[in-house]
Every structure is written in C-alpha cells, then in structure tokens.
Amino acid sequence: MTALADAFGRARDEGRAALIGYLPAGFPSREGSVRLMRAMVEGGVDIVEVGLPYSDPLMDGPVIQEAVGIALAEGMTPAGVIDVAGDVAGSGAATLVMSYWNPIERFGVDRFAERLAAAGGCGVITPDLTPEESADWAIATAAHGLDRVFLVAPSSTDARIGQVAAECSGFVYAASTMGVTGARSAVSDAAEGLVARVRAATDLPVAVGLGVSSGEQAAQIAEYADGVIVGSAFIRVVLESPDLEAAEQGVGGLARELAAGVRRRRDRALS
Amino acid sequence: MAERGAPGGHYGQYGGRFVPEALTAALDQLDSAFRVAWADPGFHAELDALQRTYTGRPSPMTDAVRFGQERCGGARILLKREDLNHTGSHKINNVLGQALLAVRMGKKRVIAETGAGQHGVASATAAALMGLDCVVYMGEEDTRRQSLNVARMRLLGAEVVPVTAGSRTLKDAINEAMRDWVATVDETHYILGTVTGPSPFPEMVRTFQSVVGREAREQVLEIAGRLPDAVAACVGGGSNAMGLFAGFLDDPGVDLWGFEAGGEGIESGRHAARFSGGSPGVLHGARTYILQDEWGQTVPSHSISAGLDYPGVGPEHAWLHDTGRARYAPVTDAEAMAAFADLCRTEGIIPAIESAHALAGVIGLGRDLGPDAVIVVNLSGRGDKDVATAARWFGIDAGIVESAEGR
C-alpha cells in the first residue's frame, strides 16, 4: 500500500476527510520551509504537497506567486525540492511534490521520479501536464512506485474526467472553481457536483482544492470529498508573520483549525 | 511534411497542449469552432470581405531597388508590405479571424497579450468593430517602451492592464492572460497573438496568417517571373514568419530564413535567440525551443524590439528548425538598427524594429547570394511606434522625444 492510500484509508476509517497542506520548498528559506511543513504535520495535516518553485506559475494567483518568487530568490532548485521533500517525509507524513512540467522534463523525467522516490516522496501532482502528454511520465512513475495525480475541473466533460481519472493514482485532484489558486470567501458550488462526477468514473479518493482557507470551508467540503487541499491560506499566514517562529505557530494553528474542520462531519453524524 | 499539424497539435516532438485542465474544454471548443468555420464558405466570405475592405488586402509587394542595389549586394529585394495594413502590422490578419470565431462561439469578451502593442492594438480594433469587450495584458516594462500603442488601445475602448509580475514583459503578460482566461472562459475568448501556446493556437494562427504567404507567392511570380531564392522574416513568437513560410513550404527550391533577436549578442546572455541560445522545453502550453536555465526556469529575454522580446517560439518553427527546412539566425540590436536606418534612407519606409531584424538578415543573405538572387522579405510592421526608441538610438531625439512618447 502506498503512503497516500494509507493516509486516505486512515482518514476514511476515522470517518473524516484527509487534510492536505501545500507550501513551496524554499519559502521563506530552505530550512524555514521544512520547519513550516513539519508544523503543518504536527497541527494535523495528513499529506504534504511540497511546491516546486517555477518561474512561470500560470495556474497560481498572487499569493503563491509571491511565495514562489521568494523561494526562487533564495536559490531553491528542483534538486533542493527533492531534498526538502525527503526531510518532510521523514516526519511521517505522506509527501508529494507539486510541479509544473518543464522543471521535471529538464531534470530528466525518469531521473526526477527515481530521485524523489529514493528520498521518500510518494507522488507528484502536475497541474499543467495532461494525460495526452504523459506517456513518459506514466512509465517513470510506475517504474519508481510514485503516485501520479492529475487535475479535473468543473469544465471537464464526463468523458474527460474518465480519461484523466484512468491516468491517476493515489487520488484525483478536483479543482473547485474555474480560476487560479488563492483563498476565496466561499467555495464554489461547482465542487460538489464535480466530485460526484469523479466518483462515477473512479474508485480513487477525490480531493478538492482551490480557494479553501478556513475550518468552516474544510468542514463543508469534507461532507462530500475524501480530501481537502489548502495552500494559499498557509502562505498568507507566513507572509503576515513577523518571523519564522510566529509563522510556525500560525501555520500550526491553521492546520489545527482545518484538521478540526475535516473531523466535524463525524461529530455531526454522532450527535 | 506529413507530420505538420498532426493530431494533438504536434509537430514532431513539439507543440501539444500543456495547460491546466480547466482550459481543456475551451481549447476543444475553439478547435472545433475553427475547423467548422474554416470549412464554411460563409466564414471565408466574411473574412475575405474584412480583409479587402477593412485591412486593405492584398498588401502590395514593393521592389526595393535602392535597398537591394546599395545594401544587399545587388540582390533583388521584394518587400511584402504588411506594414500598410490597417493598424500597421500583420497582427490584424490573425485577430480578425479569431474575433469572428469569438462571435461565432457566442463570447462577448476578448482578452489578449501584447509585447510591442501591435497585437493589442489589432485586438482592440477588432473588438471595437465587432462590439466585444476587450482587455489587453501588457508587461509594465513594455507599456513604457510602447506608450503610443497603450494610448491607441485606450482610444479604441480597450482596458490595458500593466503586468507587474516577473520580468514585466510579454512572457508575464501571457501568464496573466492565461490566468484571466481560466477564470472567465465561459464568456471570454483569448485572442493569442502568435503561433505558440497550446493546440490549436499554433495551427490556427498560422492558418489565419497564411494569407501573407499566399499573396506573396502570387506577387513574386508576377513581379520576378519566378519563385524567389529565399524568403525571410523576423521571428519572435513567429506568426509573421509562419504566415510567409506557409506559402513556400512546399517549394523545395525556396530557402526559408527566420531572424531572431540577438540582442546585445548571444555571448552577452542578453538576447532572445531561442535557436542559437536556447533548448527544447515547455513554456506557455507548448513544447518548443525556449530560453531556460539548467533547472528549467525561464530565462528573461532581451531585445531592443519589444515584439521579439520573448523566451519561446512557435512549435512549428522548432520543427522546421530541427528538420532543416527553415534556417534561423540571430540579428543583434545594432545590426537591426543599422538596417532600420538603411531602409529609411534608401526606400523612404520607416520599418518596425521587429521587421528591421529581417532586413538586417537579408542584407547578409543578399551579399551571399549575389545580384541574380530574388529575396522576399516580410515587412511585418511599420515603425511609427518605434520613432522615440530609434531617435534615442541614433542620438537625434533632442526636443522630440517628449512629444512623441508623452512622458
């Protein structure tokens, strides 16, 4: 059983959704990012998404762009990202890398998969790689036992969802809204319908991301999804903190709030 | 040429579609709308009428006698005059086609990226003509370099959004336009301005620009009585070049030459020469030659010409490069500006600085091929927008830059 299947299985057994937290490696520094991701895990994040900083993040809104810009200025490289992922995986959390495609292609598709697996990473999310372009990636990830996560969106047709889900392993990433990453005050109504359509196509867990920032939103999504993904809200906490210690406390606090959120469904069912 | 426009928008290993899944449905819709329209005589009648009565097509071909005699080793240089189109460049050819498609798809809003501002002006123009809302993303650095075009777009009713992310140039304007499109795709069409981006853009934009090559082939046969030895164009994203090349791809005796921006020289690192100084990678939805570092991070480009200042290039060019059907060479800022002055003084034509890169390439080509050669060069745009930059370059700007540039 892979680390991801394990994490989703444990959450299911506990009658709750899994909590997935994203931060870019190297933000605000190499060591700082490892400490923040460990704080996430201590606060209750089940699965960590380690962002690979890229110069042209066209699916990301201003908050992640700013964080990634800081990480690049700090000199974070794809090799460094794999190291960071290894350090985070050492804390026991299932650890994925989220990366735009070009840095992986440049690193060497097989070499990237091999190194990440050796470091202890369990999979990769690729927001701009479509199944049509992923033949080499499928071979490399299978060879090294990594899960391969693609995205579906509210605009995806049912046929398309089936096609994408068939190429996924670990879980399917459902983008809740048509738009870029960033906290939103309300999670789109489109998310629930999308999750239902994904469930019709696959038995894999479905996790919802884009726009989730509070325990309340996490609880809403946990009603119908297997996983809740939070990124920009963590980054905002870090950007607003005066120093790394405050950032660690803030990140841990937000993780606890979100972890309580994904458990609220069960509380309600029991009451 | 069997691999050209293969399924999935691939040109050999290049092209394809590397985009967030949210855009897949819109790209599929666009692909299908384009294919239906292109097979529809009604669409062609509409587009042809606009080209004739609005753009002013066919654009003439000018025998540049003095430029050829005095600068190009006596070779016969024929200028394809896209600079005479309404809005001042070849960009309008693509924009009218895409704007008609937007209307057919029922989209009320169009967005565009722009570098030099020519594509933004053309998009704002078509939007005004067809009653569409228009937002143009432009790197903040470029809004300064091309303030005249910013004013033109605003006069035409478009909203111009200066992009302050990244290097604040064309690459970042494309990122921002993509981000807008992901969020607004139901009511918005993205009029991408060049032959790159995710499929179907490279093939579609090439098809809309191929009118340049079709006309040029007829005109050179009429003027010179034979096919040219070579055709030449500047290559930023590469739409004016692809449009010209399209007319001659199947004529094996015609050499295809693309001239990219060599900036301050390849060795300086400050250039936009993807073929001389880049490598294959993925940028803005397509696999092609890009400027990147050892880790796959995009390296900012540099050129005196905002329209060539882009770290990627159309995937069909990448394929033509690798197969050897077309050849690509860099032209430095200094060489381009010398050719700019040459054309002004020998022909009474002020070219766009982008097009001046092609002219500089042709000076060398003419000298190599000799006085019997016939060369067609795409004069892709006019230089009004570049007057302030050129005046500064030649040190003749005393007293005129303020009024020309407005700041």
Side-chain angles (χ1 to χ4, degrees), chain B residues 103-363:
Chain B
V103 171
R104 282 189 158 218
M105 292 186 290
K107 306 214 168 173
K108 308 270 185 251
R109 175 176 180 264
V110 292
I111 57 174
E113 84 293 343
T114 200
Q118 292 303 97
H119 176 60
V121 166
S123 297
T125 298
L129 176 69
M130 298 184 198
L132 303 167
D133 291 335
C134 181
V135 174
V136 179
Y137 291 94
M138 187 169 187
E140 195 189 39
E141 165 82 13
D142 292 336
T143 62
R144 267 197 290 274
R145 284 195 279 195
Q146 305 287 344
S147 57
L148 176 69
N149 274 341
V150 174
R152 289 170 78 194
M153 289 182 267
R154 288 182 173 149
L155 287 171
L156 291 160
E159 181 190 346
V160 179
V161 179
V163 175
T164 55
S167 58
R168 306 179 179 210
T169 59
L170 179 55
K171 146 182 117 63
D172 308 284
I174 293 177
N175 290 341
E176 215 50 45
M178 288 275 188
R179 290 179 186 126
D180 177 318
W181 201 31
V182 171
T184 60
V185 68
D186 279 349
E187 72 273 13
T188 299
H189 173 62
Y190 177 16
I191 304 184
L192 213 154
T194 189
V195 287
T196 187
S199 170
F201 281 109
E203 183 191 353
M204 181 176 71
V205 175
R206 188 264 301 239
T207 303
F208 287 139
Q209 290 293 359
S210 62
V211 64
V212 176
R214 217 162 38 241
E215 288 177 6
R217 193 173 187 280
E218 281 176 24
Q219 289 166 324
V220 65
L221 285 173
E222 194 183 311
I223 294 170
R226 67 174 179 92
L227 285 171
D229 300 286
V231 301
C234 63
V235 181
S239 70
N240 92 80
M242 215 51 246
L244 180 64
F245 290 0
F248 302 92
L249 274 172
D250 297 330
D251 297 313
V254 179
D255 289 344
L256 311 177
W257 278 95
F259 295 101
E260 36 178 15
E264 295 170 9
I266 305 300
E267 64 291 339
S268 74
R270 288 174 54 75
H271 60 82
R274 292 68 41 100
F275 292 118
S276 306
S279 53
V282 170
L283 179 65
H284 292 145
R287 184 180 286 115
T288 183
Y289 278 76
I290 61 175
L291 300 182
Q292 59 183 331
D293 68 12
E294 61 173 319
W295 300 110
Q297 309 289 356
T298 310
V299 172
S301 51
H302 166 80
S303 170
I304 189 170
S305 140
L308 303 182
D309 196 350
Y310 178 61
V313 63
E316 191 169 2
H317 284 296
W319 181 71
L320 291 171
H321 171 269
D322 282 11
T323 59
R325 177 63 187 96
R327 280 182 279 178
Y328 299 84
V331 165
T332 63
D333 290 350
E335 291 166 334
M337 292 313 290
F340 177 99
D342 285 342
L343 195 75
C344 290
R345 299 297 175 90
T346 58
E347 298 294 333
I349 298 170
I350 301 177
I353 296 178
E354 289 78 11
S355 316
H357 286 70
L359 296 167
V362 159
I363 291 173

Side-chain angles (χ1 to χ4, degrees), chain A residues 52-61 65 72 76-79 101-103 105-107 127-131 133 151-153 155-156 160 164 178-180, chain B residues 8 10 15-25 165 171-172 175-176 178-179 182-183 185 279-284 287 290 292-298:
Chain A
L52 190 152
Y54 173 54
S55 54
D56 293 272
L58 58 77
M59 216 194 101
D60 287 306
Q65 286 177 48
L72 286 172
M76 184 46 64
T77 64
W101 184 243
N102 195 53
E105 186 161 299
R106 183 72 169 168
F107 196 89
D128 63 345
L129 183 68
T130 53
E133 306 290 349
L151 277 68
V152 295
S155 61
S156 305
R160 180 76 189 165
V164 173
M178 297 295 287
V180 296
Chain B
H10 291 100
R17 214 186 249 183
F18 296 83
V19 290
E21 178 59 27
L23 291 178
T24 295
K171 146 182 117 63
D172 308 284
N175 290 341
E176 215 50 45
M178 288 275 188
R179 290 179 186 126
V182 171
V185 68
S279 53
V282 170
L283 179 65
H284 292 145
R287 184 180 286 115
I290 61 175
Q292 59 183 331
D293 68 12
E294 61 173 319
W295 300 110
Q297 309 289 356
T298 310

Side-chain angles (χ1 to χ4, degrees), chain A residues 56 64 100 129 181 183:
Chain A
D56 293 272
I64 291 184
Y100 289 90
L129 183 68
T181 56

Side-chain angles (χ1 to χ4, degrees), chain A:
Chain A
M1 186 176 262
T2 69
L4 269 183
D6 205 33
F8 279 104
R10 203 164 50 237
R12 195 182 315 112
D13 291 346
E14 292 174 22
R16 63 175 176 92
L19 178 61
I20 303 165
Y22 164 95
L23 278 174
F27 167 70
S29 62
R30 188 209 180 277
E31 286 316 307
S33 65
V34 173
R35 281 171 60 181
L36 292 172
M37 287 187 249
R38 286 191 169 151
M40 268 182 172
V41 175
E42 281 158 23
V45 162
D46 302 290
I47 298 165
V48 179
E49 262 185 44
V50 180
L52 190 152
Y54 173 54
S55 54
D56 293 272
L58 58 77
M59 216 194 101
D60 287 306
V63 172
I64 291 184
Q65 286 177 48
E66 183 179 351
V68 160
I70 290 168
L72 286 172
E74 285 286 310
M76 184 46 64
T77 64
V81 171
I82 292 172
D83 284 349
V84 167
D87 286 356
V88 176
S91 72
T95 305
L96 296 152
V97 166
M98 174 137 181
S99 179
Y100 289 90
W101 184 243
N102 195 53
I104 295 178
E105 186 161 299
R106 183 72 169 168
F107 196 89
V109 171
D110 187 71
R111 183 165 161 251
F112 187 89
E114 183 188 1
R115 298 276 178 93
L116 179 60
C122 67
V124 185
I125 305 171
T126 45
D128 63 345
L129 183 68
T130 53
E132 288 84 350
E133 306 290 349
S134 68
D136 292 349
W137 184 232
I139 293 166
T141 46
H144 300 290
L146 289 180
D147 280 319
R148 193 168 58 239
V149 180
F150 295 104
L151 277 68
V152 295
S155 61
S156 305
T157 62
D158 290 346
R160 180 76 189 165
I161 287 172
Q163 194 186 349
V164 173
E167 295 297 323
C168 286
S169 62
F171 68 96
V172 179
Y173 190 130
S176 67
T177 48
M178 297 295 287
V180 296
T181 56
R184 290 172 176 81
S185 53
V187 174
S188 144
D189 301 339
E192 187 167 2
L194 176 60
V195 170
R197 293 196 295 134
V198 178
R199 289 207 190 288
T202 180
D203 293 331
L204 285 173
V206 189
V208 170
L210 261 56
V212 189
S213 60
S214 69
E216 185 55 38
Q217 290 173 325
Q220 282 170 22
I221 293 167
E223 297 282 340
Y224 56 82
D226 305 304
V228 178
I229 305 170
V230 180
S232 297
F234 280 117
I235 290 172
R236 205 148 62 179
V237 165
V238 179
L239 290 172
E240 287 167 1
S241 299
D243 55 37
L244 189 59
E245 259 168 42
E248 273 182 284
Q249 283 174 14
V251 163
L254 177 60
R256 280 190 293 279
E257 177 193 334
L258 295 163
V262 298
R263 285 167 173 81
R264 216 173 293 163
R265 177 182 69 164
R266 184 185 177 216
D267 297 345
R268 203 170 303 166
L270 292 178
S271 64

